[in-house]
Amino acid sequence: MVRIKPLIVFSIRLFFLLFVLAAIGVLVIWLTIVPSLPSVESLKDVQLQVPLRIYSADEQLMAEIGEQRRRPVALEDMPERLKLAFLSAEDDRFYRHPGVDWRGTTRAVWLYALSMGRGRVPGGSTITQQVARRFFLSTDYSVTRKLREMLLAFKIERELTKDQILELYLNKEFLGHRAYGVAAAAQVYYGKALEKLTLAETAMIAGLPKAPSRDNPISGPEAAMGRRDWILGRMLELDHISEDEHARAVAEPNTASYHGPVVELEAPWIAEMVRQDVVDLLGAEAAYNEGHVAYTTVDSQLQRAANRAVRDGLVAYDRRHGWRGPESRIAPEALDDPAELEERLASIRTIAELVPAVVMSAEEESASLQLADGERVELGLEGMQWARPFIDSDAVGAAPQAVTDVLQAGDVVRLRRVEDAWQLVQIPQAEAALVSMKAQTGEVLALVGGLDFAHNQFNRATQSRRQPGSSFKPFIYAAALDHGFTPATRVNDAPIVVDDPSMERVWKPTNFSQRFFGPTRLREAMVNSRNLVSVRLLMDMGIDYGRDYVTRFGFDRDELPAGPSMALGSASITPLSLTAAYTVFANGGHAVEPQYLYSVRDSGGSILYEPEWALPCDGCPDVPPPTEPEVSPEETEVELAPRLLRPELAGTEPARQAPSEADPGLVGPPRPRRAERVIEPATAWLIDSMLSDVVSRGTGRRALALERDDLAGKTGTTNDLRDTWFAGYGGGLVTVVWLGMDNNESLGRQEQGGRTALPLWVDFMDTALDGRAETSRPVPVGVTRALIDPETGARVRPGTPGAIPEWFHADHLPPLAGQGGDEETVDPYEIY
């Protein structure tokens, strides 16, 4: 008894000592760690890092840009089994503990003690603790960090509900391959929405938090499958699934594979333009991480048509110039090694739907080729009849008589599926660009900057400055009409030698045909693209006058040559700027700026930016009085944007005084900014009339295949056949196509605009104009019609044999033949 008493006293003292030490420890923790804990208030309005998304006007995803792929989903919208799978894997007592699970913590402490603190131990962290670590703490492994994590978990549980914590966790967690959150993981690994995942796929995703980079179903399939099956077992043990469901899920194989962002519309060129604008507007950090959404003016149907037209046109041009041989070769012995063959083909990227393939065997009548996915393709001679040997840009060899004339075993080539048949192709050496926009608003409906964006990111629609050739002539003719010339004025189409200061040499221009036709009426000169007429027109008007006038169409004066070569399109301009310039003729004389962005919105849908648009308004006074009613939508003749606010209502309005009770202020939609009229309606109509003749009976006759009466346009071809163009419009759409070589080499003999660019234009417009009513262009005030003698251009009386009708500016109507006047004495030979 005497011995027991000291032991009891010692125990009591030891208990109090430990209690005091524990109290001191808690006090020290409270005084040192608790004050430094971050506020969890920010979790109530947490901004997850969500990438920038860019959509077409009809809400098809064009691009998703950002370091982290994430699609936040509300907890109530997540499948119940997904939540149960994560709880089974990570924290099955989540809804019962206060933020820290003492069972798991005790187990972790015991394992830590057994390991003598020499490393990490499994378990111990609840979902709440993981949220605390992901949002506020580092991943450093230390006792202090663990204590901070536990205390922070208590704070989070006091501030947020369990459902809020679980929603944050399921949207924040990194799950491998740049996927953050369960929705992104479902897309990355299975290409599915959450609600379409199978039970096995759900369990696979639930197993990713443990080691997302190493043990995911793509990088570490064996470990991932083991983790998946363990989670399915836990779900069975916790009665979340039945025995039968468990058996079927465990038997399901690993079907995961990498799925990139689900881009619904291939429009990378314009998506890149929008990305740059959003970064300039918001900064890179905000643009890529705050879930902003940009809506563009792109029409998905027209964009797809543009992609197809450019690729078809480039392949057609390339085939005309023969077969340049295989891209590479694989050694014959490698053809018997399936693994090496698969690896070689997998390393070759598909370009513009041109699929790599290797020739496994070749005989006279057919060849057997293998694709990267293992598919075998039989190709007969009919699929390669075009493959004459390439000699140079102007010549090809004889047509192949046997398949072996073109292909040999081991050749690596390209195939393209056309309808249900494969055809031999090669990557075109030429490039092309296409821009299409609405004439009234400037909305860019489709834009292609080259064959394939991933192959070459250079945007030829906006960055490539090329000479437009004869497609520039309508601007010179417009200047001439406002300078006193008429469509009936005759100008001598004859050789001329001039000293062109812009070229620093004597220049002797000629026609494409190398022929000369003497005095020619301006309308006929436009229709047949007579070069010498354009040069003499500009020289007669004066170079400075011509340069000043052409700037009305949006061109910078400094980019226009200060010499007569400007008349033949020697300026260097982009397809986008030429498209905008042609809208002036198509809309009756107004300059509209290209617009490809409707709005930029934040993750909540609020508008952050809307560009201000300038729109034609023929009935509007120059300076609208303050009390004038707003312009009605009917007057602007602008189509509704499919998704967003009407573009004519976009823009920032001038500041207004705050309304008062006496003056309630202005109400209703904001007034749109009016587009500037740059040429008179009469001039625009006359040029349009001449361009219509180019299509109906001139160099643009291929466009007649569209069987419409409202088409107008102009071909363009530069020296040595380096650049070919067609710029035209119809149905309210203006479309420009350029085709040429990036290295500025010649396209080859006879490859002028009507043969290369115009077929692309027709192919695209066939889709673009489908369902669009023909545009009527009424004769404006100031234009009158009279009969003329087609040989002299002089006005004649009704009933004169051989007379034809012609249109004139009312102020420039020539006198009747035989009545005298200056006009009839003008000698076309005297016009330079």
Side-chain angles (χ1 to χ4, degrees), residues 453-667:
F453 182 81
H455 180 59
N456 188 325
Q457 291 79 43
F458 183 62
N459 190 343
R460 294 155 192 84
T462 62
Q463 296 173 306
S464 180
R465 307 183 72 84
R466 306 295 290 242
Q467 293 182 342
S470 293
S471 63
F472 196 80
K473 289 177 182 176
F475 311 119
I476 303 299
Y477 279 58
L481 294 181
D482 282 348
H483 196 67
F485 289 86
T486 75
T489 302
R490 293 191 304 161
V491 176
N492 193 21
D493 178 33
I496 185 173
V497 178
V498 297
D499 183 11
D500 189 338
S502 68
M503 304 177 71
E504 298 183 349
R505 62 180 174 86
V506 172
W507 180 48
K508 186 179 180 180
T510 185
N511 289 322
F512 182 81
S513 66
Q514 302 295 318
R515 297 168 59 199
F516 305 98
F517 298 88
T520 305
R521 287 181 288 116
L522 290 194
R523 181 177 293 274
E524 298 308 305
M526 175 79 87
V527 167
N528 296 294
S529 200
R530 302 282 163 75
N531 290 341
L532 280 304
V533 172
S534 299
V535 173
R536 291 175 185 272
L537 270 180
L538 181 58
M539 294 180 66
D540 185 75
M541 292 185 293
I543 304 297
D544 287 338
Y545 167 80
R547 293 178 76 198
D548 290 338
Y549 190 96
V550 169
T551 60
R552 301 183 187 188
F553 297 90
F555 302 116
D556 189 339
R557 195 178 194 277
D558 292 338
E559 68 185 2
L560 301 173
S565 65
M566 182 182 75
L568 303 187
S570 62
S572 296
I573 61 177
T574 66
L576 181 64
S577 64
L578 187 63
T579 311
Y582 264 72
T583 62
V584 176
F585 302 132
N587 66 32
H590 296 91
V592 293
E593 299 172 2
Q595 301 288 351
Y596 51 85
L597 185 60
Y598 277 141
S599 67
V600 178
R601 299 172 179 244
D602 64 20
S603 56
S606 298
I607 295 176
L608 300 178
Y609 171 72
E610 265 187 343
E612 186 181 25
W613 291 23
L615 304 170
C617 183
D618 289 329
C620 301
D622 291 337
V623 182
T627 57
E628 178 123 343
E630 297 292 333
V631 178
S632 69
E634 290 76 20
E635 289 176 306
T636 61
E637 298 181 357
V638 179
E639 294 183 18
L640 282 172
R643 164 79 173 63
L644 304 172
L645 298 175
R646 292 173 64 98
E648 66 267 35
L649 305 184
T652 304
E653 278 292 290
R656 295 173 176 170
Q657 294 181 350
S660 64
E661 293 184 5
D663 178 12
L666 299 175
V667 295

